[in-house]
Amino acid sequence: RKEVEQDPGPFNVPEGATVAFNCTYSNSASQSFFWYRQDCRKEPKLLMSVYSSGNEDGRFTAQLNRASQYISLLIRDSKLSDSATYLCVVSHLNGGYQKVTFGTGTKLQVIP
Amino acid sequence: DVKVTQSSRYLVKRTGEKVFLECVQDMDHENMFWYRQDPGLGLRLIYFSYDVKMKEKGDIPEGYSVSREKKERFSLILESASTNQTSMYLCASSLQLEAFFGQGTRLTVV
């Protein structure tokens, strides 16, 4: 089983729609969780961290469910500019350093 | 603004060549990483370093080595390039948990 699993998509949604991605992780000792965004032919960039209490940044909401070992990203009122690949990132302590594992990414295409 | 710079955007090398990929960061970060990204496989960690002259193997170190002689510079070395090393290579640096990536080097081995 992969350490971090995501549905690769693509998710094709119309402008204005709400879309949600899930990501599951296998290591129950995982401590930190993030969503990164990667545009086509560009490097990944941090979108938001994911906190136990859930967090919101404008149209984006991230949630963590430790019991079921998944994190989610909700995008409301999708814009064309939201089209990108969204990478789930999970980290845990491994022998004194943080081991960071990336999911393979979920591709989102917002359609006019 | 953190800046992570990779020396080349595109490289074409021949099988058997020794290849150097350079990465420089300007934010005095302790941790630096080399990943490769392939379709359907996501980002896979090759090597990382948490201090000068320190290095740790990641998930796929075979066929690669690294060098960190100065804090700001982390080099990835392909000792004898092979066609299965054709990939996008991404360097990253971090101080705490947020990683900042370079723009990537697309390496083609022919």
Short mmCIF file of all heavy atoms in Angstrom, two decimals, chain A residues 44-101:
data_model
loop_
_atom_site.label_atom_id
_atom_site.label_comp_id
_atom_site.label_asym_id
_atom_site.label_seq_id
_atom_site.Cartn_x
_atom_site.Cartn_y
_atom_site.Cartn_z
N PRO A 44 6.05 22.56 -7.67
CA PRO A 44 4.99 22.60 -6.66
C PRO A 44 5.17 23.79 -5.72
O PRO A 44 6.29 24.17 -5.39
CB PRO A 44 5.17 21.29 -5.89
CG PRO A 44 6.05 20.43 -6.73
CD PRO A 44 6.91 21.37 -7.52
N LYS A 45 4.04 24.35 -5.28
CA LYS A 45 4.08 25.43 -4.29
C LYS A 45 3.06 25.15 -3.21
O LYS A 45 1.98 24.62 -3.49
CB LYS A 45 3.80 26.78 -4.96
CG LYS A 45 4.92 27.22 -5.90
CD LYS A 45 4.69 28.60 -6.44
CE LYS A 45 5.85 28.98 -7.35
NZ LYS A 45 5.66 30.29 -7.97
N LEU A 46 3.40 25.54 -1.98
CA LEU A 46 2.51 25.29 -0.86
C LEU A 46 1.20 26.05 -1.05
O LEU A 46 1.18 27.26 -1.26
CB LEU A 46 3.17 25.72 0.44
CG LEU A 46 2.33 25.52 1.70
CD1 LEU A 46 2.11 24.04 1.98
CD2 LEU A 46 3.00 26.19 2.91
N LEU A 47 0.10 25.32 -0.96
CA LEU A 47 -1.23 25.94 -1.01
C LEU A 47 -1.70 26.24 0.41
O LEU A 47 -2.05 27.36 0.74
CB LEU A 47 -2.21 25.00 -1.72
CG LEU A 47 -3.65 25.47 -1.80
CD1 LEU A 47 -3.77 26.69 -2.70
CD2 LEU A 47 -4.55 24.35 -2.32
N MET A 48 -1.71 25.20 1.24
CA MET A 48 -2.08 25.41 2.63
C MET A 48 -1.69 24.22 3.49
O MET A 48 -1.56 23.10 3.00
CB MET A 48 -3.59 25.68 2.77
CG MET A 48 -4.51 24.62 2.24
SD MET A 48 -6.19 25.23 1.96
CE MET A 48 -6.67 25.86 3.55
N SER A 49 -1.45 24.52 4.76
CA SER A 49 -1.25 23.45 5.74
C SER A 49 -2.62 22.95 6.18
O SER A 49 -3.63 23.64 6.01
CB SER A 49 -0.49 24.00 6.95
OG SER A 49 0.74 24.56 6.54
N VAL A 50 -2.63 21.76 6.75
CA VAL A 50 -3.89 21.17 7.20
C VAL A 50 -3.80 20.94 8.71
O VAL A 50 -2.91 20.20 9.16
CB VAL A 50 -4.18 19.83 6.49
CG1 VAL A 50 -5.58 19.34 6.86
CG2 VAL A 50 -4.04 19.98 4.99
N TYR A 51 -4.68 21.56 9.45
CA TYR A 51 -4.64 21.45 10.90
C TYR A 51 -5.75 20.54 11.37
O TYR A 51 -6.77 20.36 10.70
CB TYR A 51 -4.77 22.83 11.54
CG TYR A 51 -3.72 23.80 11.06
CD1 TYR A 51 -4.08 24.97 10.41
CD2 TYR A 51 -2.36 23.54 11.24
CE1 TYR A 51 -3.12 25.86 9.96
CE2 TYR A 51 -1.40 24.43 10.79
CZ TYR A 51 -1.79 25.58 10.15
OH TYR A 51 -0.84 26.46 9.70
N SER A 52 -5.57 20.01 12.58
CA SER A 52 -6.56 19.08 13.14
C SER A 52 -7.95 19.68 13.20
O SER A 52 -8.95 18.99 13.01
CB SER A 52 -6.13 18.64 14.54
OG SER A 52 -4.93 17.94 14.49
N SER A 53 -7.98 20.99 13.46
CA SER A 53 -9.28 21.66 13.62
C SER A 53 -9.87 22.07 12.27
O SER A 53 -10.95 22.64 12.21
CB SER A 53 -9.10 22.89 14.49
OG SER A 53 -8.07 23.70 13.96
N GLY A 54 -9.13 21.79 11.21
CA GLY A 54 -9.59 22.24 9.89
C GLY A 54 -9.21 23.70 9.70
O GLY A 54 -9.08 24.45 10.66
N ASN A 55 -9.00 24.09 8.47
CA ASN A 55 -8.68 25.49 8.22
C ASN A 55 -9.18 25.92 6.85
O ASN A 55 -9.36 25.10 5.95
CB ASN A 55 -7.19 25.78 8.38
CG ASN A 55 -6.30 24.79 7.67
OD1 ASN A 55 -6.42 23.59 7.85
ND2 ASN A 55 -5.40 25.30 6.84
N GLU A 56 -9.42 27.22 6.78
CA GLU A 56 -10.04 27.79 5.59
C GLU A 56 -9.20 28.97 5.12
O GLU A 56 -8.67 29.74 5.92
CB GLU A 56 -11.45 28.26 5.96
CG GLU A 56 -12.34 28.61 4.79
CD GLU A 56 -13.76 28.87 5.24
OE1 GLU A 56 -14.35 28.03 5.93
OE2 GLU A 56 -14.27 29.96 4.90
N ASP A 57 -9.07 29.07 3.81
CA ASP A 57 -8.36 30.21 3.23
C ASP A 57 -9.13 30.64 2.00
O ASP A 57 -8.97 30.05 0.92
CB ASP A 57 -6.93 29.81 2.87
CG ASP A 57 -6.12 30.98 2.32
OD1 ASP A 57 -6.66 32.11 2.28
OD2 ASP A 57 -4.96 30.78 1.94
N GLY A 58 -10.01 31.60 2.19
CA GLY A 58 -10.84 32.05 1.07
C GLY A 58 -11.76 30.94 0.60
O GLY A 58 -12.55 30.40 1.38
N ARG A 59 -11.63 30.55 -0.66
CA ARG A 59 -12.50 29.52 -1.23
C ARG A 59 -12.02 28.10 -0.92
O ARG A 59 -12.67 27.13 -1.31
CB ARG A 59 -12.56 29.71 -2.75
CG ARG A 59 -13.16 31.04 -3.18
CD ARG A 59 -13.20 31.19 -4.71
NE ARG A 59 -11.87 31.27 -5.31
CZ ARG A 59 -11.30 30.31 -6.01
NH1 ARG A 59 -11.94 29.17 -6.21
NH2 ARG A 59 -10.10 30.47 -6.53
N PHE A 60 -10.90 28.00 -0.26
CA PHE A 60 -10.28 26.69 0.00
C PHE A 60 -10.46 26.29 1.47
O PHE A 60 -10.18 27.08 2.36
CB PHE A 60 -8.78 26.75 -0.34
CG PHE A 60 -8.50 27.03 -1.79
CD1 PHE A 60 -8.54 28.33 -2.28
CD2 PHE A 60 -8.21 26.00 -2.67
CE1 PHE A 60 -8.29 28.59 -3.61
CE2 PHE A 60 -7.95 26.25 -4.00
CZ PHE A 60 -8.00 27.55 -4.48
N THR A 61 -10.88 25.05 1.67
CA THR A 61 -11.00 24.51 3.02
C THR A 61 -10.30 23.18 3.08
O THR A 61 -10.52 22.30 2.24
CB THR A 61 -12.49 24.30 3.41
OG1 THR A 61 -13.17 25.56 3.34
CG2 THR A 61 -12.60 23.75 4.82
N ALA A 62 -9.44 23.02 4.09
CA ALA A 62 -8.72 21.76 4.27
C ALA A 62 -9.15 21.13 5.58
O ALA A 62 -9.35 21.84 6.58
CB ALA A 62 -7.21 22.01 4.27
N GLN A 63 -9.30 19.81 5.58
CA GLN A 63 -9.70 19.12 6.80
C GLN A 63 -8.85 17.86 6.97
O GLN A 63 -8.38 17.26 6.00
CB GLN A 63 -11.17 18.74 6.72
CG GLN A 63 -12.08 19.96 6.60
CD GLN A 63 -13.38 19.79 7.32
OE1 GLN A 63 -14.06 18.82 7.04
NE2 GLN A 63 -13.72 20.68 8.23
N LEU A 64 -8.72 17.49 8.23
CA LEU A 64 -7.97 16.30 8.60
C LEU A 64 -8.86 15.37 9.39
O LEU A 64 -9.52 15.81 10.34
CB LEU A 64 -6.74 16.70 9.43
CG LEU A 64 -5.98 15.59 10.18
CD1 LEU A 64 -5.37 14.59 9.20
CD2 LEU A 64 -4.92 16.20 11.08
N ASN A 65 -8.87 14.11 9.05
CA ASN A 65 -9.60 13.10 9.82
C ASN A 65 -8.58 12.04 10.23
O ASN A 65 -8.23 11.15 9.45
CB ASN A 65 -10.72 12.48 8.97
CG ASN A 65 -11.57 11.51 9.75
OD1 ASN A 65 -11.05 10.71 10.55
ND2 ASN A 65 -12.86 11.56 9.55
N ARG A 66 -8.10 12.17 11.47
CA ARG A 66 -7.05 11.25 11.94
C ARG A 66 -7.58 9.83 12.11
O ARG A 66 -6.88 8.86 11.87
CB ARG A 66 -6.47 11.75 13.26
CG ARG A 66 -5.50 12.90 13.10
CD ARG A 66 -4.72 13.10 14.39
NE ARG A 66 -3.88 14.28 14.33
CZ ARG A 66 -2.64 14.28 13.85
NH1 ARG A 66 -2.10 13.16 13.40
NH2 ARG A 66 -1.94 15.39 13.83
N ALA A 67 -8.82 9.71 12.55
CA ALA A 67 -9.38 8.37 12.81
C ALA A 67 -9.40 7.54 11.53
O ALA A 67 -9.07 6.35 11.53
CB ALA A 67 -10.78 8.50 13.40
N SER A 68 -9.78 8.18 10.43
CA SER A 68 -9.86 7.48 9.15
C SER A 68 -8.63 7.69 8.29
O SER A 68 -8.54 7.17 7.18
CB SER A 68 -11.11 7.93 8.37
OG SER A 68 -12.27 7.67 9.13
N GLN A 69 -7.71 8.49 8.80
CA GLN A 69 -6.44 8.73 8.12
C GLN A 69 -6.61 9.27 6.70
O GLN A 69 -6.13 8.70 5.72
CB GLN A 69 -5.55 7.46 8.13
CG GLN A 69 -5.12 7.10 9.53
CD GLN A 69 -4.15 5.92 9.61
OE1 GLN A 69 -4.03 5.31 10.66
NE2 GLN A 69 -3.45 5.62 8.56
N TYR A 70 -7.34 10.38 6.64
CA TYR A 70 -7.40 11.07 5.36
C TYR A 70 -7.45 12.57 5.58
O TYR A 70 -7.83 13.05 6.65
CB TYR A 70 -8.57 10.59 4.50
CG TYR A 70 -9.94 11.07 4.91
CD1 TYR A 70 -10.43 12.30 4.46
CD2 TYR A 70 -10.77 10.28 5.70
CE1 TYR A 70 -11.68 12.74 4.82
CE2 TYR A 70 -12.03 10.71 6.05
CZ TYR A 70 -12.48 11.94 5.61
OH TYR A 70 -13.73 12.36 5.97
N ILE A 71 -7.03 13.28 4.54
CA ILE A 71 -7.19 14.73 4.52
C ILE A 71 -7.98 15.09 3.27
O ILE A 71 -8.02 14.32 2.30
CB ILE A 71 -5.85 15.49 4.58
CG1 ILE A 71 -5.03 15.28 3.31
CG2 ILE A 71 -5.04 15.07 5.78
CD1 ILE A 71 -3.79 16.16 3.25
N SER A 72 -8.62 16.23 3.33
CA SER A 72 -9.43 16.64 2.20
C SER A 72 -9.17 18.09 1.86
O SER A 72 -8.69 18.88 2.68
CB SER A 72 -10.91 16.43 2.52
OG SER A 72 -11.30 17.25 3.60
N LEU A 73 -9.48 18.43 0.62
CA LEU A 73 -9.40 19.81 0.14
C LEU A 73 -10.68 20.12 -0.59
O LEU A 73 -11.06 19.38 -1.52
CB LEU A 73 -8.20 20.00 -0.79
CG LEU A 73 -8.03 21.40 -1.38
CD1 LEU A 73 -7.67 22.41 -0.30
CD2 LEU A 73 -6.96 21.40 -2.48
N LEU A 74 -11.35 21.16 -0.17
CA LEU A 74 -12.59 21.59 -0.80
C LEU A 74 -12.36 22.94 -1.47
O LEU A 74 -11.82 23.86 -0.84
CB LEU A 74 -13.69 21.72 0.26
CG LEU A 74 -15.07 22.11 -0.23
CD1 LEU A 74 -15.78 20.90 -0.81
CD2 LEU A 74 -15.91 22.71 0.89
N ILE A 75 -12.74 23.04 -2.72
CA ILE A 75 -12.62 24.31 -3.44
C ILE A 75 -14.03 24.74 -3.82
O ILE A 75 -14.74 24.02 -4.54
CB ILE A 75 -11.75 24.17 -4.70
CG1 ILE A 75 -10.37 23.58 -4.36
CG2 ILE A 75 -11.59 25.53 -5.40
CD1 ILE A 75 -9.51 23.29 -5.58
N ARG A 76 -14.42 25.90 -3.34
CA ARG A 76 -15.75 26.44 -3.67
C ARG A 76 -15.62 27.45 -4.81
O ARG A 76 -14.57 28.08 -4.99
CB ARG A 76 -16.35 27.14 -2.45
CG ARG A 76 -16.79 26.20 -1.35
CD ARG A 76 -17.40 27.00 -0.19
NE ARG A 76 -16.42 27.91 0.39
CZ ARG A 76 -15.51 27.54 1.27
NH1 ARG A 76 -15.47 26.29 1.70
NH2 ARG A 76 -14.65 28.41 1.75
N ASP A 77 -16.70 27.59 -5.57
CA ASP A 77 -16.76 28.61 -6.63
C ASP A 77 -15.51 28.53 -7.52
O ASP A 77 -14.76 29.50 -7.66
CB ASP A 77 -16.89 30.00 -5.99
CG ASP A 77 -17.17 31.09 -7.01
OD1 ASP A 77 -17.68 30.76 -8.11
OD2 ASP A 77 -16.84 32.26 -6.74
N SER A 78 -15.29 27.39 -8.11
CA SER A 78 -14.07 27.13 -8.90
C SER A 78 -13.85 28.19 -9.97
O SER A 78 -14.79 28.62 -10.65
CB SER A 78 -14.16 25.76 -9.57
OG SER A 78 -14.29 24.74 -8.63
N LYS A 79 -12.60 28.58 -10.11
CA LYS A 79 -12.19 29.53 -11.16
C LYS A 79 -11.34 28.78 -12.19
O LYS A 79 -10.71 27.78 -11.88
CB LYS A 79 -11.34 30.66 -10.55
CG LYS A 79 -11.92 31.31 -9.32
CD LYS A 79 -13.09 32.18 -9.64
CE LYS A 79 -13.58 32.90 -8.39
NZ LYS A 79 -14.94 33.47 -8.60
N LEU A 80 -11.27 29.35 -13.37
CA LEU A 80 -10.41 28.75 -14.41
C LEU A 80 -8.97 28.64 -13.91
O LEU A 80 -8.26 27.68 -14.19
CB LEU A 80 -10.45 29.58 -15.69
CG LEU A 80 -11.78 29.64 -16.42
CD1 LEU A 80 -11.68 30.57 -17.62
CD2 LEU A 80 -12.23 28.26 -16.88
N SER A 81 -8.56 29.64 -13.13
CA SER A 81 -7.19 29.68 -12.63
C SER A 81 -6.90 28.61 -11.57
O SER A 81 -5.75 28.44 -11.17
CB SER A 81 -6.87 31.06 -12.06
OG SER A 81 -7.80 31.37 -11.03
N ASP A 82 -7.93 27.92 -11.11
CA ASP A 82 -7.71 26.82 -10.15
C ASP A 82 -7.22 25.56 -10.86
O ASP A 82 -6.81 24.60 -10.20
CB ASP A 82 -9.00 26.49 -9.40
CG ASP A 82 -9.46 27.61 -8.49
OD1 ASP A 82 -8.61 28.41 -8.04
OD2 ASP A 82 -10.68 27.70 -8.23
N SER A 83 -7.28 25.53 -12.19
CA SER A 83 -6.83 24.35 -12.94
C SER A 83 -5.36 24.10 -12.65
O SER A 83 -4.50 24.95 -12.87
CB SER A 83 -7.02 24.57 -14.45
OG SER A 83 -8.38 24.74 -14.75
N ALA A 84 -5.08 22.92 -12.12
CA ALA A 84 -3.72 22.57 -11.69
C ALA A 84 -3.76 21.15 -11.16
O ALA A 84 -4.81 20.51 -11.11
CB ALA A 84 -3.23 23.52 -10.59
N THR A 85 -2.61 20.67 -10.73
CA THR A 85 -2.54 19.39 -10.02
C THR A 85 -2.33 19.69 -8.54
O THR A 85 -1.49 20.52 -8.18
CB THR A 85 -1.39 18.52 -10.55
OG1 THR A 85 -1.67 18.20 -11.92
CG2 THR A 85 -1.26 17.23 -9.75
N TYR A 86 -3.11 19.03 -7.70
CA TYR A 86 -3.06 19.27 -6.26
C TYR A 86 -2.40 18.06 -5.59
O TYR A 86 -2.87 16.93 -5.72
CB TYR A 86 -4.46 19.53 -5.72
CG TYR A 86 -4.99 20.86 -6.23
CD1 TYR A 86 -5.60 20.96 -7.47
CD2 TYR A 86 -4.82 22.03 -5.48
CE1 TYR A 86 -6.03 22.19 -7.97
CE2 TYR A 86 -5.26 23.25 -5.97
CZ TYR A 86 -5.86 23.32 -7.21
OH TYR A 86 -6.28 24.55 -7.70
N LEU A 87 -1.31 18.34 -4.91
CA LEU A 87 -0.51 17.29 -4.28
C LEU A 87 -0.76 17.26 -2.78
O LEU A 87 -0.67 18.29 -2.10
CB LEU A 87 0.98 17.56 -4.53
CG LEU A 87 1.43 17.63 -5.98
CD1 LEU A 87 2.83 18.21 -6.07
CD2 LEU A 87 1.41 16.26 -6.61
N CYS A 88 -1.05 16.09 -2.30
CA CYS A 88 -1.21 15.87 -0.86
C CYS A 88 0.16 15.52 -0.28
O CYS A 88 0.90 14.73 -0.88
CB CYS A 88 -2.20 14.71 -0.70
SG CYS A 88 -2.32 14.03 0.93
N VAL A 89 0.51 16.10 0.85
CA VAL A 89 1.83 15.88 1.43
C VAL A 89 1.68 15.53 2.91
O VAL A 89 0.95 16.21 3.64
CB VAL A 89 2.71 17.13 1.28
CG1 VAL A 89 4.10 16.88 1.86
CG2 VAL A 89 2.81 17.54 -0.18
N VAL A 90 2.36 14.48 3.32
CA VAL A 90 2.26 13.99 4.70
C VAL A 90 3.67 13.82 5.24
O VAL A 90 4.57 13.36 4.52
CB VAL A 90 1.51 12.64 4.70
CG1 VAL A 90 1.50 12.04 6.09
CG2 VAL A 90 0.11 12.81 4.17
N SER A 91 3.87 14.19 6.49
CA SER A 91 5.22 13.99 7.05
C SER A 91 5.15 13.38 8.44
O SER A 91 4.17 13.54 9.17
CB SER A 91 5.99 15.30 7.09
OG SER A 91 5.56 16.10 8.15
N HIS A 92 6.20 12.66 8.81
CA HIS A 92 6.31 12.11 10.14
C HIS A 92 7.78 12.05 10.53
O HIS A 92 8.66 12.11 9.68
CB HIS A 92 5.68 10.72 10.22
CG HIS A 92 6.40 9.67 9.42
ND1 HIS A 92 6.13 9.43 8.09
CD2 HIS A 92 7.39 8.81 9.74
CE1 HIS A 92 6.91 8.47 7.64
NE2 HIS A 92 7.69 8.08 8.62
N LEU A 93 8.02 11.93 11.82
CA LEU A 93 9.39 11.83 12.32
C LEU A 93 9.93 10.45 12.04
O LEU A 93 9.27 9.44 12.31
CB LEU A 93 9.43 12.09 13.83
CG LEU A 93 9.76 13.50 14.28
CD1 LEU A 93 9.70 13.60 15.79
CD2 LEU A 93 11.12 13.93 13.78
N ASN A 94 11.14 10.42 11.50
CA ASN A 94 11.78 9.14 11.18
C ASN A 94 13.24 9.24 11.58
O ASN A 94 14.04 9.82 10.88
CB ASN A 94 11.61 8.86 9.69
CG ASN A 94 12.13 7.49 9.28
OD1 ASN A 94 12.87 6.86 10.03
ND2 ASN A 94 11.76 7.04 8.11
N GLY A 95 13.58 8.70 12.74
CA GLY A 95 14.97 8.70 13.18
C GLY A 95 15.55 10.09 13.36
O GLY A 95 16.72 10.31 13.06
N GLY A 96 14.76 11.03 13.84
CA GLY A 96 15.30 12.36 14.12
C GLY A 96 15.09 13.39 13.03
O GLY A 96 15.42 14.56 13.21
N TYR A 97 14.63 12.98 11.88
CA TYR A 97 14.33 13.96 10.85
C TYR A 97 12.91 13.74 10.35
O TYR A 97 12.32 12.68 10.56
CB TYR A 97 15.34 13.87 9.70
CG TYR A 97 15.36 12.54 9.01
CD1 TYR A 97 14.47 12.25 7.99
CD2 TYR A 97 16.28 11.56 9.38
CE1 TYR A 97 14.47 11.03 7.36
CE2 TYR A 97 16.29 10.32 8.75
CZ TYR A 97 15.38 10.06 7.75
OH TYR A 97 15.40 8.84 7.13
N GLN A 98 12.39 14.76 9.71
CA GLN A 98 11.03 14.67 9.18
C GLN A 98 11.07 14.00 7.81
O GLN A 98 11.75 14.46 6.91
CB GLN A 98 10.43 16.07 9.03
CG GLN A 98 9.97 16.69 10.32
CD GLN A 98 8.67 16.10 10.83
OE1 GLN A 98 7.96 15.45 10.09
NE2 GLN A 98 8.37 16.32 12.11
N LYS A 99 10.32 12.91 7.67
CA LYS A 99 10.21 12.29 6.35
C LYS A 99 8.95 12.83 5.68
O LYS A 99 7.86 12.74 6.25
CB LYS A 99 10.14 10.78 6.46
CG LYS A 99 10.18 10.14 5.07
CD LYS A 99 10.08 8.65 5.09
CE LYS A 99 10.09 8.18 3.63
NZ LYS A 99 9.60 6.83 3.45
N VAL A 100 9.12 13.39 4.53
CA VAL A 100 8.02 14.01 3.80
C VAL A 100 7.67 13.14 2.60
O VAL A 100 8.55 12.80 1.82
CB VAL A 100 8.42 15.42 3.34
CG1 VAL A 100 7.30 16.06 2.53
CG2 VAL A 100 8.78 16.30 4.52
N THR A 101 6.40 12.79 2.49
CA THR A 101 5.96 11.95 1.37
C THR A 101 4.88 12.68 0.59
O THR A 101 3.92 13.19 1.17
CB THR A 101 5.41 10.61 1.88
OG1 THR A 101 6.41 9.97 2.68
CG2 THR A 101 5.07 9.69 0.71
#
